[in-house]
């Protein structure tokens, strides 16, 4: 395996390739809409969420609640969420509602990353 492939493997799934394959198989008519985003090497959490919403629409509350339990955030995403909070001068409840998180999760992240944002 070459070094670039090893590096990608350590970072996790290649979402660009996954979505390219999905769109080509199930939604070939939408391929042009996503070309610019999917040409990136790495997709952010927010880009992945955007693609999901555009492809599959908004989900029911019960399904969102179930899926939220298994969602994981990397440090980069957490920092973006906390930067959004600071930029828009929101409290923890408002940020939690906006990103569909728990208030306790937001508070925990602030304690962990307060000096890094």
């Amino acid at each position: 395996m070459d070094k670039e492939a090893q590096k990608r493997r350590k970072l996790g799934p290649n979402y660009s390739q996954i979505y390219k394959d999905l769109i080509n198989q199930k939604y070939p008519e939408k391929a042009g809409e996503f070309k610019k985003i999917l040409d990136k090497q790495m997709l952010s959490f927010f880009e992945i969420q955007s693609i999901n919403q555009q492809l599959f629409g908004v989900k029911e509350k019960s399904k969102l609640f179930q899926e939220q339990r298994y969602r994981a955030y990397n440090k980069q995403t957490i920092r973006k969420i906390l930067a959004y909070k600071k930029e828009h001068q929101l409290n923890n409840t408002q940020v939690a509602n906006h990103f569909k998180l728990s208030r306790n999760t937001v508070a925990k992240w602030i304690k962990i990353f307060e000096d890094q944002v």
Side-chain angles (χ1 to χ4, degrees):
M1 208 181 301
D2 66 347
K3 288 189 179 199
E4 188 173 320
Q6 287 177 346
K7 186 188 211 183
R8 268 185 284 161
R9 186 176 174 149
K10 288 180 185 176
L11 296 175
N14 185 350
Y15 287 107
S16 295
Q17 190 61 48
I18 292 169
Y19 280 108
K20 281 180 189 176
D21 293 343
L22 176 70
I23 290 169
N24 288 336
Q25 289 176 5
K26 293 193 175 193
Y27 307 101
E29 69 279 358
K30 294 185 178 184
E33 292 179 43
F34 299 103
K35 182 168 179 26
K36 187 176 180 182
I37 293 175
L38 295 177
D39 285 342
K40 292 182 179 181
Q41 191 72 12
M42 292 289 296
L43 296 176
S44 72
F45 171 80
F46 301 109
E47 292 167 333
I48 293 168
Q49 289 295 96
S50 171
I51 293 170
N52 269 338
Q53 281 185 345
Q54 290 176 14
L55 284 177
F56 307 114
V58 179
K59 296 183 179 179
E60 297 174 19
K61 266 191 169 181
S62 61
K63 284 188 178 181
L64 281 174
F65 180 74
Q66 272 182 324
E67 290 177 2
Q68 183 63 29
R69 291 181 173 181
Y70 305 110
R71 192 170 289 168
Y73 298 90
N74 59 20
K75 290 180 184 180
Q76 178 187 7
T77 303
I78 293 170
R79 287 187 184 115
K80 283 185 181 180
I81 291 171
L82 295 179
Y84 182 89
K85 175 189 184 302
K86 196 172 194 177
E87 178 184 330
H88 291 64
Q89 298 177 349
L90 302 174
N91 62 35
N92 292 356
T93 303
Q94 292 168 325
V95 173
N97 288 338
H98 181 77
F99 291 103
K100 297 175 182 66
L101 301 165
S102 156
R103 289 179 300 118
N104 293 334
T105 300
V106 175
K108 178 181 166 185
W109 288 348
I110 290 170
K111 286 179 183 177
I112 294 171
F113 294 100
E114 66 184 2
D115 58 335
Q116 297 176 11
V117 176

